[in-house]
Amino acid sequence: MDPISPLEQALHAARALVLADLVAGRVAEADVVSLVEQSVAQRRWWVEQWPEGAQYVAGLVAQDVQDSLLERYGRWPLCPVCGTGDPHALDVEPELGPDPHWVCSEAGVKVAAVGSLNEAIGGAASS
């Protein structure tokens, strides 16, 4: 069996990170998971065209899923930091860069790395 290519490793890692955040937000229903699969399939072509972009795939898949969820269900993930005001979603920063994080633009803070929302949600709930 051939080893998994770095490209496929990046796509699998992106899928796992975004799924972890969906599970943390308790929105990992079957139809939502298929949004992740659609994004990974689309990003596979993109990263095949630009292999150097493999380090950006996790942030892009997170943004794709966030956009798809907004169209179908509403904002995700909701900010666990701001306790007042209207509920608002976190943003992925950098938009195209390595080491993507969920960021609250309103408070100007990094909330969690993509894939680590469970720690932020758990931390916010217990404090």
Side-chain angles (χ1 to χ4, degrees):
M1 189 165 106
D2 293 332
I4 297 175
S5 73
L7 231 141
E8 285 299 315
Q9 288 177 4
L11 290 165
H12 289 301
R15 175 189 291 116
L17 291 171
V18 174
L19 286 173
D21 285 346
L22 289 166
V23 168
R26 295 188 175 103
V27 292
E29 304 298 327
D31 55 337
V32 176
V33 171
S34 49
L35 296 175
V36 176
E37 298 304 327
Q38 290 169 9
S39 173
V40 169
Q42 292 167 354
R43 293 299 174 179
R44 177 173 281 111
W45 178 87
W46 180 84
V47 82
E48 285 171 351
Q49 305 310 305
W50 189 46
E52 297 80 20
Q55 61 183 330
Y56 309 140
V57 171
L60 292 169
V61 170
Q63 290 174 59
D64 292 345
V65 171
Q66 186 177 41
D67 291 345
S68 295
L69 282 170
L70 180 60
E71 291 171 13
R72 296 178 191 202
Y73 303 105
R75 294 178 293 239
W76 175 85
L78 291 178
C79 179
V81 174
C82 297
T84 60
D86 290 332
H88 55 276
L90 300 173
D91 298 314
V92 175
E93 289 185 8
E95 285 188 27
L96 184 62
D99 192 29
H101 278 73
W102 293 109
V103 175
C104 174
S105 299
E106 292 191 19
V109 297
K110 278 186 181 180
V111 176
V114 168
S116 298
L117 266 182
N118 192 42
E119 296 167 25
I121 292 170
S126 63
S127 58

